[in-house]
Amino acid sequence: MMQGNFIYINWEQVNNLVISYGITSADFVNGMPDVPQRIVLIDGKLEGNQVNGHTRFQTVTGQNSVREFLLSRTDSPKMWLDYHESDDLDLMMPSEIAELLYMAHMGTHYHLPLYSKLQNAYAYLGTNSGFVKVYYRKMETFEHILDISLKRHLRLLHSNRWMMFNRPFSVSDVPDEIIQKVQAAFSEGLVFAFDQAVERRRRYLIPLRLQEHPERQNWWRDRMDVYETTRQVGTLSYDVEKKHWGIDITDEAPFSENEMDL
């Protein structure tokens, strides 16, 4: 696991897949519109509170149990899909069960894991390296999760700077237009570098860094690897007095590509 106060996001737009680092389980749970009532565990290692007889997958049922599972610390990465009705799993074909086993084993999809039978909103794949892969049925959900995570990282930055004063620190929501602006660069691989932030006149300035070699992300071992393979393309700012987010782009190219597609 890398240490460092940063968020990394890479969005495979065609698959609605977000690969991230620095977005925690708590960010995910707090950003969901609703915690699922039922999830199926596909890795074969972690235990749920029931077993589905048809697929032989462990399941967790009940919203409180699901929330508790998602927030719990586990020895192996969590891999799960939500599903709608209790008997939805009984409709899964052998080939679809095989696809889920393949996904858990290989850490990637064979077919897009958003099934009409399950009506699942998410397919969630944790990894041993701390990266998380999530397939989203609705990308608006991720936008809310990102907002929650950005605010938490800013509070962490602030508390580390002002720990001795322990001042209360309220953070306003990140405006939609800023989320939309940065989202255009997610397909390139974007880092919100909170641990490189500076404070000037009660404004936090957080570098936005773009990944230069996406294929090297698998080799990241520490935060220096992250910063050596990225370049700054802008700055996210937060005015503490005005409670106002801002953004300053120094390289427009990554932020203007595909804007019409979003």
Side-chain angles (χ1 to χ4, degrees), residues 11-52:
W11 176 26
E12 289 185 14
Q13 197 170 343
V14 68
N15 295 316
N16 264 20
L17 168 62
V18 175
I19 303 169
S20 67
Y21 193 97
I23 295 177
T24 64
S25 298
D27 296 335
F28 191 82
V29 169
N30 291 330
M32 288 173 153
D34 296 293
V35 174
Q37 295 282 352
R38 302 172 183 85
I39 61 174
V40 55
L41 312 183
I42 63 170
D43 66 317
K45 295 175 185 171
L46 300 176
E47 287 192 14
N49 57 14
Q50 290 185 18
V51 177
N52 174 261

Side-chain angles (χ1 to χ4, degrees), residues 14-227:
V14 68
N15 295 316
N16 264 20
L17 168 62
V18 175
I19 303 169
S20 67
Y21 193 97
I23 295 177
T24 64
S25 298
D27 296 335
F28 191 82
V29 169
N30 291 330
M32 288 173 153
D34 296 293
V35 174
Q37 295 282 352
R38 302 172 183 85
I39 61 174
V40 55
L41 312 183
I42 63 170
D43 66 317
K45 295 175 185 171
L46 300 176
E47 287 192 14
N49 57 14
Q50 290 185 18
V51 177
N52 174 261
H54 175 69
T55 61
R56 301 193 184 176
F57 283 128
Q58 298 269 341
T59 64
V60 181
T61 59
Q63 200 171 40
N64 288 337
S65 297
V66 170
R67 181 185 286 105
E68 192 176 312
F69 173 82
L70 296 183
L71 294 174
S72 65
R73 290 186 178 277
T74 51
D75 292 334
S76 58
K78 300 183 181 90
M79 300 185 185
W80 57 269
L81 287 76
D82 57 308
Y83 60 103
H84 208 253
E85 301 295 339
S86 56
D87 54 1
D88 286 347
L89 288 177
D90 299 337
L91 303 175
M92 297 289 279
M93 301 281 289
S95 58
E96 292 168 328
I97 297 169
E99 285 174 18
L100 296 183
L101 291 168
Y102 174 90
M103 188 164 66
H105 183 65
M106 299 300 290
T108 188
H109 65 279
Y110 185 71
H111 288 128
L112 193 62
L114 297 169
Y115 295 95
S116 55
K117 290 175 183 176
L118 302 183
Q119 299 177 60
N120 59 309
Y122 317 99
Y124 185 104
L125 299 173
T127 70
N128 285 315
S129 61
F131 287 93
V132 175
K133 301 179 178 182
V134 185
Y135 299 82
Y136 289 90
R137 191 173 291 275
K138 294 182 178 176
M139 279 304 293
E140 307 88 79
T141 304
F142 173 69
E143 291 168 13
H144 193 221
I145 290 167
L146 176 61
D147 170 63
I148 295 282
S149 191
L150 287 168
K151 291 186 290 190
R152 181 183 59 79
H153 279 271
L154 183 63
R155 286 191 200 97
L156 179 63
L157 168 66
H158 183 79
S159 65
N160 287 342
R161 297 274 171 98
W162 299 98
M163 198 177 294
M164 59 189 292
F165 298 108
N166 200 19
R167 301 172 178 176
F169 183 54
S170 65
V171 181
S172 60
D173 293 346
V174 184
D176 287 344
E177 57 267 26
I178 290 182
I179 296 284
Q180 294 300 321
K181 186 71 175 174
V182 295
Q183 195 175 48
F186 287 169
S187 58
E188 306 261 348
L190 192 67
V191 174
F192 298 82
F194 284 89
D195 48 12
Q196 285 194 334
V198 296
E199 186 189 0
R200 292 202 186 120
R201 296 189 295 277
R202 302 291 284 151
R203 281 174 77 232
Y204 285 114
L205 304 175
I206 301 126
L208 299 173
R209 303 185 65 91
L210 196 74
Q211 195 172 12
E212 294 199 289
H213 302 284
E215 73 280 1
R216 290 191 197 163
Q217 166 225 304
N218 295 331
W219 300 99
W220 287 353
R221 293 290 176 262
D222 58 41
R223 55 190 283 266
M224 292 317 298
D225 290 341
V226 177
Y227 296 135

Side-chain angles (χ1 to χ4, degrees), residues 239-255:
D239 189 309
V240 175
E241 302 293 341
K242 296 178 182 173
K243 296 183 171 48
H244 176 75
W245 290 92
I247 189 168
D248 177 43
I249 303 300
T250 50
D251 181 354
E252 278 288 348
F255 296 91

